[in-house]
Amino acid sequence: TLAARFPEEFLFGVATAAFQIEGAAKVDGRGPSIWDAFSKMPGRTFGRHDGDVACDHYNRLDADLDLIRDLGVDAYRFSIAWPRIFPDGRGEVNEKGLEFYERLVDGLKARGIKAFATLYHWDLPLALMGDGGWTSRDTAYAFADYADVVARRLGDRLDSVATFNEPWCSVWLSHLYGIHAPGEQSMDAALHALHMTNLAHGFGVAALRSARPDLPIGIVINAHATLALTDSEVDQEAAERAFSFHNGVFFGPLFDGAYPDDFMAALGERMPTIEAGDMDAISAPLDFWGLNYYTPMRVKHDASKGAEFPAAVSVAPENVSKTDIGWEIDPSALAYIIRELNRRYDLPDLYITENGACYNMGVENGTVDDQPRLDYIARHLSVLADLIDEGFSIKGYFAWSLMDNFEWAEGYRMRFGIVHVDYETQIRTVKASGHWYAELATAHSGRN
Ligand code: BGC
C-alpha cells in the first residue's frame, strides 16, 4: 500500500495560510495588510474578492481544529498574520493577536497534532509600505522583531518555524510581474525586494535561534522545475538562466552564501547595496527546507529586443493534462527538481510543505467527488516514496489545502481544498480526496 511506503516518522499534514482562511480582518486589533489594500482595488483580484470573511476561520477555530483532528493527520501547517501581532508592522505588540495563535497552537497540542508555523505568507502590514515595503531594508529589521516576539511567546510549543513562504511569489510575482500585492512591475523594485527578503530571512533566523535555540527552523520555497520547452540550444540555455533567476537567487544566498554569477553579471549593478555580513546572515544553517510543488515551468528563449535577464519566457504547453487553474500535471518534474537542487546545493532535510490541485467541483448529494485531486495527490506521493527509496531525506508531506480558500488574485473561484467550503453558509464538507487522505494518514500511523 501507499502508506506502507513511507517511513514510520514521516509526517502527513495539511496546510493553510492566515490571509486565505482567517477573515475577521478588523477584529481584535488586527491592522491592515498589503493584501487588504490590494484586493480592494479594482482589477486586482477576480470579482474584487477580498479576505474580510474568507473561511471565517478566526471565529471557527475550535471546529476547524476538530476537522483537522478528524482527518487523522500528524501535523498542521499554518501561517501567523504579522498584522495581528504588530498592527503597524513594528512597535506596539497586539496581545489579542498573540492570544489567537496561542489558542491555535494549544488546540493542536491538545489534539495531538504537530504545529508547523510560517511567519510570512504574504500579508505584510500595510503600514510598512510607508517605508517602501519589501524594497526597504527597514522591513528586514521589522521582520526580525516580529520573529523574536513569536519565538518568545509560542516557540516552546511549536514543532517548527519557517520564515518565509515562497519568496519567489513575494519577490518576482509581487514586484516584477505585478500579479500579487503590492502589484509593482519594476525590475529595480523587485531586485530590492529580493535582497531585503533574503536578508529578512537571515535576520529572522538569528532572532529565532537566540530566542529558542531548540526550535527547528527552515524556509519554504516554490522551487521551479525549469525545463526547456525544446531541445534547441537556445532553449536549453534559457532554461539554465531561468534556473538562476527563479531558483538560484534564493538557493544560492541561502545555501552557498552568494547570488548566482550569471544573474549578478546581468543585474548585479541594479541590486541594492549588499552590506558586509549580509550574505553570512542569509546563509546561516537551517534545520530543514520546505518545497511547494504544483507544476513544472516550460521555458523558451525570449528573443524579443531588450528582453531582460533571464530572457526566458514560460509557456503553457498544449495537449497536456491540466488542473482547473490551467497548470500542467507532471509528477516526474517533482522528482526532477528535488534531484536537481540536491545535485547543486548541500541541502538540509526536506518537507513537501505544499502540493495539491485545483478542481472546482461542488457538493452534490452531500458529497464532493474530486477523484482527479485524489489521483493528483496519490501520483505525487508515489514519486516521493520513490525518492525516499533512492535515499533522499524527505520528512513529511502537507496537502494544500485543508480547505477551499481565498486563492489570491483568483479570489474564491479556484478551489484547492480537500475539504469543500460553502462561502454562503461556511459549511465544510470533506471531499472524496479528504476521506482518502484521512485513510492514508490513519493507515500510516496505525502501522506504527
Ligand atoms: C501558495 C498558496 C496558494 C497555492 C496555490 C502557493 O503558491 O503558497 O498560498 O494558495 O500555492 O496557488
Side-chain angles (χ1 to χ4, degrees):
T1 67
L2 189 54
R5 298 196 61 201
F6 292 89
E8 203 174 307
E9 63 287 354
F10 189 87
L11 299 180
F12 284 99
V14 287
T16 63
F19 191 80
Q20 295 181 271
I21 64 166
E22 285 179 0
K26 293 182 179 137
V27 173
D28 289 343
R30 177 188 181 275
S33 77
I34 56 173
W35 267 96
D36 293 285
F38 185 76
S39 58
K40 291 186 159 59
M41 293 165 70
R44 299 302 204 170
T45 64
F46 173 79
R48 219 160 159 176
H49 293 174
D50 61 35
D52 284 1
V53 177
C55 307
D56 197 32
H57 170 71
Y58 191 86
N59 295 310
R60 291 162 198 267
L61 180 62
D62 289 327
D64 284 343
L65 292 175
D66 287 346
L67 175 67
I68 299 169
R69 180 202 54 210
D70 293 346
L71 288 172
V73 294
D74 309 299
Y76 176 51
R77 174 174 177 253
F78 60 97
S79 81
I80 296 174
W82 184 350
R84 285 200 195 279
I85 311 299
F86 286 98
D88 299 318
R90 57 157 61 87
E92 195 94 17
V93 173
N94 176 37
E95 181 58 28
K96 291 257 185 212
L98 284 170
E99 276 167 20
F100 173 73
Y101 295 105
E102 191 155 64
R103 279 206 289 132
L104 196 169
V105 172
D106 290 345
L108 289 172
K109 301 281 102 165
R111 291 166 179 83
I113 302 161
K114 289 191 166 32
F116 277 58
T118 300
L119 294 178
Y120 188 72
H121 203 126
W122 312 347
D123 42 2
L124 184 73
L126 185 60
L128 296 180
M129 280 311 284
D131 297 325
W134 281 116
T135 67
S136 162
R137 200 172 167 99
D138 288 344
T139 299
Y141 295 114
F143 179 79
D145 292 345
Y146 160 55
D148 173 75
V149 165
V150 171
R152 286 180 198 284
R153 181 63 172 265
L154 302 172
D156 57 334
R157 286 155 285 173
L158 293 174
D159 293 280
S160 100
V161 174
T163 52
F164 281 79
N165 177 73
E166 302 194 356
W168 181 91
C169 289
S170 55
V171 173
W172 299 143
L173 197 62
S174 302
H175 294 85
L176 180 61
Y177 306 132
I179 309 290
H180 279 188
E184 184 62 82
Q185 293 187 47
S186 146
M187 179 62 90
D188 295 286
L191 292 172
H192 281 68
L194 169 65
H195 188 62
M196 299 321 163
T197 297
N198 282 331
L199 200 56
H201 161 82
F203 292 166
V205 170
L208 294 166
R209 291 267 188 239
S210 77
R212 298 279 341 167
D214 53 335
L215 184 60
I217 299 171
I219 184 168
V220 169
I221 303 181
N222 55 330
H224 288 85
T226 47
L227 300 163
L229 186 69
T230 73
D231 288 342
S232 77
E233 208 176 307
V234 284
D235 285 350
Q236 299 284 336
E237 286 168 5
E240 184 57 31
R241 292 192 305 273
F243 185 94
S244 286
F245 189 77
H246 298 293
N247 302 321
V249 297
F250 305 107
F251 286 87
L254 288 166
F255 300 109
D256 272 347
Y259 286 97
D261 292 339
D262 57 350
F263 166 81
M264 285 307 270
L267 294 167
E269 278 180 13
R270 292 160 70 183
M271 287 283 278
T273 308
I274 297 175
E275 295 185 11
D278 282 6
M279 300 315 289
D280 285 343
I282 298 169
S283 57
L286 295 177
D287 303 301
F288 73 93
W289 77 283
L291 170 64
N292 291 357
Y293 173 82
Y294 293 91
T295 187
M297 181 185 270
R298 304 278 171 195
V299 179
K300 207 166 110 52
H301 173 54
D302 181 357
S304 58
K305 214 168 144 239
E308 283 184 307
F309 187 86
V313 282
S314 73
V315 211
E318 301 192 5
N319 306 318
V320 294
S321 52
K322 294 176 181 168
T323 62
D324 284 354
I325 201 170
W327 298 353
E328 176 185 357
I329 302 170
D330 182 0
S332 75
L334 170 59
Y336 167 83
I337 190 60
I338 290 174
R339 290 200 186 98
E340 191 60 22
L341 288 163
N342 278 281
R343 190 174 70 74
R344 297 184 192 228
Y345 305 99
D346 188 9
L347 299 172
D349 288 345
L350 169 63
Y351 288 88
I352 303 305
T353 33
E354 283 181 32
N355 174 244
C358 175
Y359 289 103
N360 296 325
M361 53 285 270
V363 182
E364 270 176 62
N365 304 320
T367 61
V368 183
D369 176 9
D370 63 340
Q371 187 66 34
R373 177 179 288 107
L374 190 164
D375 293 340
Y376 178 101
I377 295 177
R379 289 176 66 197
H380 287 77
L381 277 172
S382 150
V383 163
L384 293 174
D386 294 344
L387 291 169
I388 291 170
D389 290 344
E390 255 174 78
F392 288 99
S393 179
I394 308 174
K395 299 292 187 191
Y397 174 95
F398 292 81
W400 183 270
S401 179
L402 163 65
M403 58 184 155
D404 297 336
N405 57 49
F406 176 74
E407 180 50 29
W408 307 110
E410 299 293 345
Y412 296 97
R413 72 168 160 171
M414 295 296 173
R415 295 175 179 267
F416 281 82
I418 60 172
V419 175
H420 180 273
V421 175
D422 179 327
Y423 295 111
E424 299 290 314
T425 61
Q426 293 295 348
I427 288 174
R428 279 83 161 124
T429 306
V430 180
K431 302 180 188 180
S433 61
H435 288 297
W436 172 85
Y437 193 67
E439 270 172 42
L440 175 75
T442 308
H444 179 261
S445 2
R447 199 170 72 92
N448 306 321

